[in-house]
Amino acid sequence: MSRLSGQTTLITGGSRGIGEAIVRKFAAEGSNVAFTYVSSEAKANAIIEDLKDTGVTIKAYRSDASSYEQAEALVKQVIEDFGQVDTLINNAGITRDTLMLRMSEDQWDAVMQTNLKSVFNLTKHILRPMMKKRKGSIINMSSVVGVFGNAGQANYAASKAGIFGFTKSIAKEVGSRNIRCNAIAPGFIETDMTDELDEKTKEQFLAGIPLKRLGKGEEVANACVFLASDESSYISGQTLSVCGALNC
Ligand code: NAP
């Protein structure tokens, strides 16, 4: 089944983890894909090589989503290369976990710039082309931590909570142009990001997940396909949790 045939999707942070799963799923659903990375050039190239027989166009761009100028140049280049962007997925994100008493200004700023300002940067530049087309879907990767908070993640939780207010506001601003904006709140998904957590924290998370397992990137990607496709044509300004009922 190809639910996104002929479309183009721009995904930030597509070289690893959830972003990589989204790249693969969107290609399988018939969408052309433009994705970004910062340091994982070899991984990005390997994904393109792996997907070369899918019949869609896939391109990777080195672009730091936290930079306003790089986001502007990226969107310009992607529109030049693909002619359009139907769906933007603001997925790039980092953690710099530590308790507040130890948190440096740099750790706060890095997380806010990469996780929240990036969402502004990309959305700001994609809106005009989407408005011209009178169609678009913007999907912002938040986290259940943005809803419930987490000790040692005040910077991360604040950045992810900020995404909810941004998402609802954009949905209201551009709904009349047939542009939808939604957020996804993953729970605990198996990626490099969660590999970094110590065993005790992982066990605590697992104990609180009613489905009794970690999620997979592909399960988050499935939610993205739904929010990108016409199956969700009347859904905007919402948050879809993909969390195995964690903290619900
Ligand atoms: P990950 O495995 O660490 O991968 C992060 C991706 O983002 C990589 O492709 C990385 O590129 C890219 N990236 C990092 N900084 C960037 C920047 N400034 N500009 C562009 N790309 C950048 O992370 P993940 O676990 O897949 O998480 C993806 C998203 O889901 C994040 O927003 C995260 O907060 C959110 N999330 C994850 C979980 C979870 O359990 N994993 C739960 C809730 C929410 P390089 O490869 O080049 O470094």
Side-chain angles (χ1 to χ4, degrees):
M1 185 169 64
S2 296
R3 284 179 284 177
L4 305 173
S5 284
Q7 297 200 11
T8 297
T9 306
L10 171 55
I11 302 158
T12 63
S15 51
R16 291 185 287 119
I18 292 171
E20 176 181 353
I22 297 170
V23 170
R24 291 179 181 278
K25 179 62 73 178
F26 273 65
E29 291 286 353
S31 177
N32 297 315
V33 174
F35 73 92
T36 67
Y37 63 93
V38 177
S39 55
S40 303
E41 187 171 12
K43 286 194 174 177
N45 290 336
I47 294 169
I48 292 173
E49 174 65 20
D50 211 27
L51 298 178
K52 68 176 189 301
D53 296 329
T54 47
V56 298
T57 306
I58 303 177
K59 280 181 180 245
Y61 302 79
R62 184 193 294 275
S63 180
D64 181 350
S66 70
S67 156
Y68 185 84
E69 290 76 21
Q70 288 187 39
E72 183 173 28
L74 171 75
V75 169
K76 198 165 167 255
Q77 190 59 54
V78 170
I79 298 279
E80 229 173 274
D81 293 347
F82 289 86
Q84 62 181 37
V85 171
D86 300 278
T87 298
L88 164 66
I89 304 182
N90 284 308
N91 168 74
I94 58 167
T95 51
R96 294 289 182 271
D97 297 352
T98 191
L99 296 172
M100 182 48 59
L101 284 178
R102 291 195 200 122
M103 190 177 291
S104 67
E105 188 181 2
D106 281 353
Q107 287 170 320
W108 174 268
D109 287 345
V111 169
M112 295 305 284
Q113 294 277 337
T114 303
N115 296 6
L116 185 57
K117 183 161 183 241
S118 63
V119 177
F120 161 74
N121 290 340
L122 271 294
T123 304
K124 161 89 184 160
H125 293 112
I126 210 70
L127 270 186
R128 221 176 279 280
M130 280 186 174
M131 282 162 91
K132 257 195 208 160
K133 272 198 73 192
R134 288 199 153 262
K135 189 173 188 298
S137 174
I138 298 169
I139 301 168
N140 298 322
M141 203 58 70
S142 182
S143 167
V144 290
V145 169
V147 183
F148 299 104
N150 196 24
Q153 289 197 305
N155 49 359
Y156 184 77
S159 71
K160 294 301 185 181
I163 286 178
F164 296 133
F166 183 89
T167 299
K168 286 177 188 294
S169 302
I170 296 303
K172 288 181 177 172
E173 260 185 56
V174 294
S176 63
R177 310 299 177 98
N178 195 29
I179 299 168
R180 299 181 295 112
C181 185
N182 290 289
I184 292 183
F188 194 178
I189 311 297
E190 280 178 68
T191 68
D192 293 348
M193 186 177 276
T194 45
D195 268 357
E196 281 175 15
L197 296 171
D198 60 70
E199 281 311 310
K200 196 171 154 228
T201 310
K202 280 188 196 174
E203 274 167 29
Q204 278 168 356
F205 266 120
L206 203 52
I209 301 172
L211 285 187
K212 291 296 166 212
R213 64 174 177 85
L214 306 192
K216 295 182 189 343
E218 192 186 353
E219 293 173 310
V220 179
N222 287 335
C224 291
V225 171
F226 171 65
L227 290 176
S229 76
D230 286 342
E231 287 171 16
S232 60
S233 50
Y234 203 52
I235 297 175
S236 192
Q238 305 304 308
T239 299
L240 179 51
S241 292
V242 183
C243 64
L246 171 71
N247 266 337
C248 68

